[in-house]
Amino acid sequence: MRAITTLPGTPDSARLDDLPEPADDPQMLLVQAVAVGVCGTDLEILSGAYGQPPPGRDRLILGHENLGRVVRAPAGSGFSAGELVVGVVRRPDPVPCPSCAAGEWDMCRNGRYTERGISGRDGYAAERYLLEPAFAVTVPAALGELGVLVEPTTVVAKAWEQIERIGARAIWTPRRVLITGAGPIGLLAALLARQRGLEVHVFGRITDGPKPGLVAALGATYHTGSVKDLPACDVALECTGVGELVFELMAAAPPDGIVCLTGVSSGTHKLGVNLTELNKQLVLENNVVFGVVNANLRHYRAAVEALARADRGWLERLVSRRVPVQRWHEALVRGPTDVKPVITWAS
Ligand code: BGC
């Protein structure tokens, strides 16, 4: 069967391999791949900067944004052949730490978790793969191939859950949200913010292509320029990983303001920051700045729910390119009109 593999740590080492079928395991779901999304993390792995192969191996099967169809399910597992499923990316650490033991592996304390397609475990970019029923989430048939958006949506489902938990520390009636980044994560964050009835402002770098229109279609406002020019926003969601923006958002936060960081920075650019001033502001204004990484089953279910409530046409526009697996490498090159490219398997 065909699988996209790479040598973590070695740039440009990805290839389409012919691998043996997964072993027979009566405890596991056997799943046929439908689609795999490509995100910034995949590009980092492909550049050699991130990722780990499974123990004792050199190559890693890529793919963590996934959608598949169940071929065979263990009796009593709650799953049946023919249904669409998304596999969770993270697996708990082996200790396990108190978070992993409670099913909150997204909050792992010792860092010994593994991630399918990223770190220490094969991913989902294989024609067929095994999936533990306890790490599978059903995707409603009506969502169809758009179920490939579930995994990136878990990032923002968790972000919103945590923002709301933090907000609950005070009398909190958020009205205005600022989102930096109009990539898939920024757009999905904006979708969930609009579903909460909030006034949404999205900052992006570009003025053409589909992103400004996707923001407008949500009833949100697209901006380029500086976040300093906006009125105060109760919540800021940083979805670019650009380090400078983190400090701009912290400085712009109003009293009781919450800044949530979802992007992972790379690069070595150094910044001069007045930490004394920042410390004073954080204390005197009760500001919270925090990071989130996804996701446990609760967030996967919340993501499925949010996508099921969303306008299908809008979600279709998010999946900007479908690339058949035999031309997989085309999905790894970002085009000017790309939002979310996905690799598809004939099913
Ligand atoms: C994935 C997460 C993962 C994170 C860090 C993201 O792209 O969506 O599941 O935890 O990368 O590896």
Side-chain angles (χ1 to χ4, degrees):
M1 63 158 195
R2 290 167 302 175
I4 304 169
T5 71
T6 191
L7 263 180
T10 306
D12 306 319
S13 55
R15 63 180 190 220
L16 189 61
D17 270 337
D18 192 14
L19 296 184
E21 290 287 334
D24 242 355
D25 188 332
Q27 311 294 317
M28 303 280 256
L29 303 174
L30 176 65
V31 181
Q32 170 84 37
V34 173
V36 165
V38 177
C39 79
T41 302
D42 296 304
L43 301 183
E44 285 237 324
I45 296 171
L46 292 166
S47 77
Y50 195 52
Q52 288 287 329
R57 293 239 317 270
D58 295 330
R59 299 192 77 84
L60 167 79
I61 299 180
L62 268 179
H64 62 280
E65 296 187 1
N66 67 98
L67 177 71
R69 197 175 289 285
V70 176
V71 177
R72 206 178 50 227
S77 65
F79 292 92
S80 42
E83 72 178 306
L84 290 172
V85 283
V86 168
V88 171
V89 175
R90 258 198 201 189
R91 294 294 177 279
D93 78 75
V95 177
C97 75
S99 295
C100 287
E104 300 208 349
W105 45 78
D106 56 309
M107 303 296 285
C108 180
R109 306 256 179 102
N110 60 26
R112 291 178 60 193
Y113 61 81
T114 50
E115 292 183 330
R116 286 194 73 160
I118 301 176
S119 179
R121 256 176 213 269
D122 278 331
Y124 297 105
E127 214 162 337
R128 275 168 292 279
Y129 48 84
L130 296 176
L131 178 59
E132 310 90 313
F135 291 89
V137 178
T138 301
V139 172
L143 212 49
E145 228 179 81
L146 294 170
V148 74
L149 294 172
V150 169
E151 199 279 341
T153 307
T154 64
V155 177
V156 294
K158 176 173 174 185
W160 276 110
E161 176 203 79
Q162 303 274 306
I163 289 166
E164 283 158 359
R165 287 183 177 190
I166 293 169
R169 73 198 161 132
I171 310 296
W172 194 60
T173 46
R175 202 167 71 77
R176 192 177 291 129
V177 179
L178 185 160
I179 292 165
T180 47
I185 298 296
L187 289 167
L188 290 166
L191 169 71
L192 269 68
R194 290 295 298 139
Q195 288 182 342
R196 284 161 170 75
L198 299 167
E199 178 188 314
V200 180
H201 298 269
V202 179
F203 270 84
R205 267 179 319 184
I206 50 163
T207 49
D208 53 0
K211 291 172 182 171
L214 279 161
V215 170
L218 285 175
T221 310
Y222 186 78
H223 305 261
T224 51
S226 170
V227 296
K228 291 180 200 127
D229 300 334
L230 256 197
C233 291
D234 310 291
V235 176
L237 253 148
E238 206 300 296
C239 302
T240 67
V242 175
E244 288 90 330
L245 275 174
V246 175
F247 290 103
E248 275 187 37
L249 294 179
M250 282 160 74
D256 297 358
I258 298 171
V259 179
C260 172
L261 312 177
T262 68
V264 180
S265 320
S266 52
T268 52
H269 186 66
K270 286 204 174 67
L271 266 186
V273 177
N274 185 339
L275 289 174
T276 308
E277 204 37 56
L278 204 55
N279 173 63
K280 187 163 117 198
Q281 184 208 312
L282 291 177
V283 172
L284 294 182
E285 298 194 351
N286 289 294
N287 289 152
V288 175
V289 182
F290 77 105
V292 278
V293 68
N294 56 329
N296 68 47
L297 283 171
R298 199 171 61 240
H299 309 122
Y300 277 79
R301 293 190 183 119
V304 168
E305 239 174 70
L307 292 175
R309 281 174 58 203
D311 178 73
R312 215 195 136 84
W314 188 84
L315 295 177
E316 283 288 357
R317 289 164 68 192
L318 219 61
V319 179
S320 53
R321 217 152 38 97
R322 289 177 164 80
V323 179
V325 64
Q326 55 277 15
R327 303 209 317 262
W328 60 280
H329 49 275
E330 290 174 24
L332 310 180
V333 184
R334 283 199 176 142
T337 59
D338 263 335
V339 185
K340 168 63 69 189
V342 304
I343 299 170
T344 57
W345 271 259
S347 50

